[in-house]
Amino acid sequence: MPRAGLSRDAVTDLAVELVDSSPDGFAGLTLAAVAARAGVAVPSLYKHIGSLADLRRSVALVAVTELLRRSSATTVGRAGEDALRALGREIRAFAAEHPGLYEATQVAPAFDESGQDDPASLALAQAAVDTVDVVGAVLRGFGLPDARTVDAVRVTRAAIHGFVELEAHGGFGMPDDVGRSFEALLDVLVSGLVTLARA
Amino acid sequence: MPRAGLSRDAVTDLAVELVDSSPDGFAGLTLAAVAARAGVAVPSLYKHIGSLADLRRSVALVAVTELLRRSSATTVGRAGEDALRALGREIRAFAAEHPGLYEATQVAPAFDESGQDDPASLALAQAAVDTVDVVGAVLRGFGLPDARTVDAVRVTRAAIHGFVELEAHGGFGMPDDVGRSFEALLDVLVSGLVTLARA
DNA sequence: GCCCCTATGCTAATGTGATTAGCTACTTTT
DNA sequence: AAAAGTAGCTAATCACATTAGCATAGGGGC
């Protein structure tokens, strides 16, 4: 029996491909499906990953890392309203191109109450924090009072995430152009944040 | 063997209770768990429901119907900004009191491409439309041009849903008061929609 | 009050998926 | 070339959904 030459990264890569090509998205991530792609029996995967939950977190780390990369890339050299609009569009584009990965972006790290958190979960938590920090940096240009910054970051994340989620799950039944509605969301966000900064 | 006296509604009610009390929320809805609560063997449930997916949609119908009821109740007699704030707070409160049901609210009706949609799915779709219509009615008070109404409804739904989702899934890591951030979301929404109406 | 019929419950069996245990053989190290 | 570790395998177990087929409870008709 020849070896398949797998590794943790190789398995994760297969899982990432699967998640974005499966009609079930992130929920379609099963060990059976990954093993089939790898040309290997299901239990063989356990030589490289600890469990399905572990693999899910690996995929989540890839997802958050990529979202962070794109978020950073699109906002460097921009400020204020310009940066916020670019960030919003980039997140929406990421979700459109990688629906499974976008879902994975919401996976929580494993909290081990014994304090023995695994490194992958720590990395995932850190990447998530970094991604939120990008939003904070983008909002610096709005001149919000320090006491309101956390609120503004939450509002921004909520608005963009909510839109992308509803869009991805077919939550918009009307035939009207969704891209236009997203621009309206950005308009509302920009003018609302400007008002919030004045309060 | 005495009969358990089940019915479609009784099974759905048990499922509704389960979904809100299970730590796994809507994902914790399994036939095994429902059967245990009913004091019945798992296959017995099939006398009352068609499948797990069918039961999920039944729960979703209960959830959307209740959300619709509360949304309507809290907005009657209010208008404009007042109505929008009340609606937002009510949806957030519903999600806090019934996390499982709030999740269920996002379940899509079954689309049978043969055109043979079952009545439960039609009812679910109708209830969902009615719920979105409440948002539309609330926004009437903002004097938006007709061409912008759909955008505004989408923006409003996205913002509120996104916030509630992130909050429910522990997406807000900072220790700052989340209720205050939600009020900020409503502030941003109100001032943003007013601006949108002027554009 | 008795019989029949249907609805509601059951057990048994199948399929999918995750996980663990234990075996074997490839590949690298010494 | 032997030793050692690693990466694959099969077999078995567990949870859950689903289907098939059986038994009976309990109400409607006589």
Side-chain angles (χ1 to χ4, degrees), chain B residues 3-5 41 44 47-48:
Chain B
R3 297 211 172 180
S44 305
K47 297 293 170 170
H48 308 286

Side-chain angles (χ1 to χ4, degrees), chain A residues 59-134:
Chain A
V59 171
L61 179 57
V62 170
V64 175
T65 302
E66 174 65 4
L67 181 60
L68 170 62
R69 191 192 62 73
R70 290 179 62 155
S71 297
S72 301
T74 201
T75 51
V76 291
R78 298 182 197 262
E81 171 176 344
D82 187 29
L84 178 56
R85 290 183 188 271
L87 176 63
R89 293 186 189 119
E90 190 68 20
I91 293 174
R92 178 165 178 251
F94 175 70
E97 292 162 31
H98 303 284
L101 279 190
Y102 184 80
E103 278 184 75
T105 268
Q106 304 298 318
V107 169
F111 276 134
D112 196 330
E113 47 284 322
S114 72
Q116 294 298 331
D117 304 309
D118 72 307
S121 281
L122 291 178
L124 176 55
Q126 186 57 55
V129 166
D130 291 347
T131 304
V132 174
D133 283 348
V134 171

